[in-house]
Amino acid sequence: MTTLHITVGDRTDLQEDTLQFIQDAETGIQAGQEDRAVLQFGTYDDLVESLTPLRLELIKTIAEEQPTSMRAAARLVERDISDVHSDLKRLEVLGILDLEEGGADGAVQPVVPFDKIEMHIDYPLIDDLDTDSAPASAD
């Protein structure tokens, strides 16, 4: 199973995770595990702007129905082809789907190369606090 892992947060954490993944792969620790693809957004707002409910519905529909063209995908989600075309191009840039040429009559076929999407969203409610300083007490 191929899973797309979507995260939001600190780029330093992603770098550390990526380096650990590479080290594990080089030493064979991850042999036999599922393929891993990661898409990281810098902020929660970036995620929400990129993965709208309509785009998530489009991704799911393409994965389930495997339409043979952009037009067929637009019909399945009952949306205008130009809007779907724009969404498909955006999702291709993000690496969430592929647009493969050579479909029937030269159509471009959207393909989702993942079986599942997992999202990890770190959404702190309070900005980082200085952990070394204790709160003042009222003694």
Side-chain angles (χ1 to χ4, degrees), residues 47-61:
L47 168 71
V48 171
E49 180 183 314
S50 296
L51 294 180
T52 64
L54 287 175
R55 287 181 183 153
L56 288 170
E57 176 192 15
L58 181 60
I59 295 165
K60 184 172 176 46
T61 299

Side-chain angles (χ1 to χ4, degrees), residues 7-21 36 38 40-42 120-124 128:
T7 65
V8 176
D10 187 13
R11 296 198 189 284
T12 303
D13 290 344
L14 178 64
Q15 268 183 327
E16 290 171 7
D17 291 347
T18 302
L19 289 172
Q20 185 63 51
F21 179 77
R36 182 174 172 92
V38 178
Q40 183 179 23
F41 293 94
H120 174 78
I121 301 171
D122 187 10
Y123 194 81
D128 288 338

